Amino acid sequence: MKTVMETVFSDEEEGNEDIDNDGTPDYKDEDSDGDGISDEDEGTKDSDGDGIPDNEDTDSDNDGIPDSEEGNGDSDGDGEPDYLDEDSDGDGIKDEDEGAEDSDEDGVPDYIDEDSDGDGISDEDEGDQDSDNDGTPDYKDEDSDGDGISDEEEGAGDLDGDGIPDFKDEDSDGDGTPDSVEGPQGDGAEVLNNVLSPSSPYPYDRLQIANIEMYPNNHVQVFSRWGTKVWETKSYDNNSNAFFGIGNESGSSRLPSGTYFFIVDLGDGSELIKGFVNVQ
C-alpha cells in the first residue's frame, strides 16, 4: 500500500506509450524515461516548464545535462536533488554554464566539481567572470589575469593588501611593475613595510616580505637600536611565522614602540637584506 507521502500515478496519466523504448509501457514502467530515477521520485510535476512531466523528461531542469547523468544525489546538500538543481555543487555558477565536461580531468564533471580547473582555488572564489577577456571564465582559466603566471602559482592570497586576490591582480606585490614583467619569481624578496602595529590593516600588521616563500631556507633576525637581538626565526612565511612586533628572545611580550633593525638572509648565498621597521 502506498503511503500518503508517496507519489501515485494513474494509468491514465502515464499512458500506454513506451518513452524509453525498453519494451515496457509507461503505465507499467517504474522509470518511464529510463534515466535511472524512478517515476515515484520524479513525479508528474514539470520543473522546467517545457510541457513534459519530470517522470517523462530526460532533462527535468533543462540545464543541458541529462537526468541520467545528474542523478538523484544532492551534491551540495541543499535539499534539491542534482537533476532538479540549477547549481548542483552550490558554487554560484549554474550547471548550464559549467556543463558536464571535466576540465581538469579528475573524473568529476565541472557542474559538481568545486575546483573545475584543478588550480587549488575554488570555483566559488574564482567566479564565472572573464578577468583577462580571453573567452575562458576564471573558474576554468589556468591563468585568470593573463599575466603568464598560473593561478596555481599565484594563489588566492592578497600580497599587497589591495583587495584583489593575486591570481586576478596584475601587480600582486603592488610595486608598480606588472606581474607579467616580473614573472613568477617576482623581483626578488623585498620588505614591503617599515611600519607595523596591531592596528595596521592586514597584511601590514607584521613585517611583510614579498616573495619570501620562494626562499624556504631563509633566516630573519630583528635587533633593537642598541644591537640587542629581540626576535629570530627560520623559514619566515608572512603568516604564523612572522614578526608582529612581539619579541621571542626573552619571553613573548610586545616590544616597546620604537625603531628596530632587521637582517634577512635568504639562504641562497645572495646579499643580505637589511633595513628598519618602526614598531608602534
Side-chain angles (χ1 to χ4, degrees):
M1 177 181 293
K2 299 284 185 184
T3 69
V4 294
M5 296 299 293
E6 294 175 310
T7 303
V8 179
F9 297 95
S10 69
D11 292 349
E12 183 178 0
E13 284 181 295
E14 295 194 284
N16 195 34
E17 52 188 325
D18 179 15
I19 291 175
D20 58 2
N21 297 310
D22 65 352
T24 303
D26 293 346
Y27 76 94
K28 289 186 176 182
D29 199 336
E30 294 183 354
D31 180 13
S32 297
D33 55 3
D35 60 4
I37 307 170
S38 71
D39 292 352
E40 185 173 351
D41 286 336
E42 292 191 287
T44 58
K45 62 184 179 297
D46 180 14
S47 296
D48 58 4
D50 64 354
I52 305 172
D54 291 351
N55 68 300
E56 297 181 1
D57 196 339
T58 56
D59 183 10
S60 297
D61 57 1
N62 197 34
D63 61 1
I65 307 171
D67 294 351
S68 58
E69 185 163 344
E70 293 189 288
N72 202 21
D74 180 13
S75 296
D76 58 3
D78 65 352
E80 190 84 16
D82 291 350
Y83 78 94
L84 293 177
D85 198 337
E86 293 184 353
D87 180 13
S88 295
D89 57 1
D91 60 2
I93 307 170
K94 289 184 176 181
D95 294 353
E96 182 177 4
D97 292 330
E98 293 191 286
E101 64 182 309
D102 180 13
S103 295
D104 57 3
E105 299 181 345
D106 64 351
V108 182
D110 292 349
Y111 74 94
I112 53 174
D113 196 338
E114 295 182 354
D115 181 12
S116 296
D117 56 2
D119 61 0
I121 306 171
S122 71
D123 294 352
E124 184 173 5
D125 287 337
E126 293 190 288
D128 61 354
Q129 65 268 32
D130 180 12
S131 296
D132 57 2
N133 297 310
D134 66 350
T136 303
D138 292 350
Y139 75 93
K140 289 186 177 183
D141 199 337
E142 294 182 354
D143 180 13
S144 296
D145 56 2
D147 61 1
I149 308 171
S150 71
D151 293 352
E152 185 173 7
E153 287 182 277
E154 294 192 283
D158 181 12
L159 181 61
D160 58 4
D162 65 352
I164 304 173
D166 294 344
F167 74 94
K168 291 186 179 182
D169 197 338
E170 295 181 354
D171 181 12
S172 297
D173 58 3
D175 64 356
T177 303
D179 295 348
S180 58
V181 175
E182 293 183 313
Q185 295 295 330
D187 50 4
E190 62 176 319
V191 175
L192 298 180
N193 57 319
N194 59 10
V195 176
L196 66 85
S197 76
S199 61
S200 295
Y202 172 85
Y204 301 118
D205 56 347
R206 67 206 70 183
L207 190 67
Q208 189 71 208
I209 308 176
N211 301 316
I212 194 65
E213 70 278 1
M214 307 300 297
Y215 306 93
N217 297 319
N218 69 73
H219 179 203
V220 179
Q221 301 175 85
V222 179
F223 300 86
S224 72
R225 61 190 302 179
W226 296 283
T228 303
K229 184 166 60 178
V230 296
W231 192 85
E232 181 177 20
T233 194
K234 293 182 178 179
S235 301
Y236 195 98
D237 64 6
N238 286 328
N239 294 308
S240 58
N241 190 20
F243 179 58
F244 289 86
I246 299 173
N248 66 3
E249 285 295 305
S250 56
S252 58
S253 59
R254 176 158 292 280
L255 296 170
S257 297
T259 300
Y260 294 81
F261 299 87
F262 58 78
I263 298 177
V264 180
D265 182 353
L266 297 176
D268 64 350
S270 60
E271 185 177 350
L272 299 177
I273 301 173
K274 299 180 181 180
F276 71 91
V277 60
N278 190 346
V279 174
Q280 298 179 345

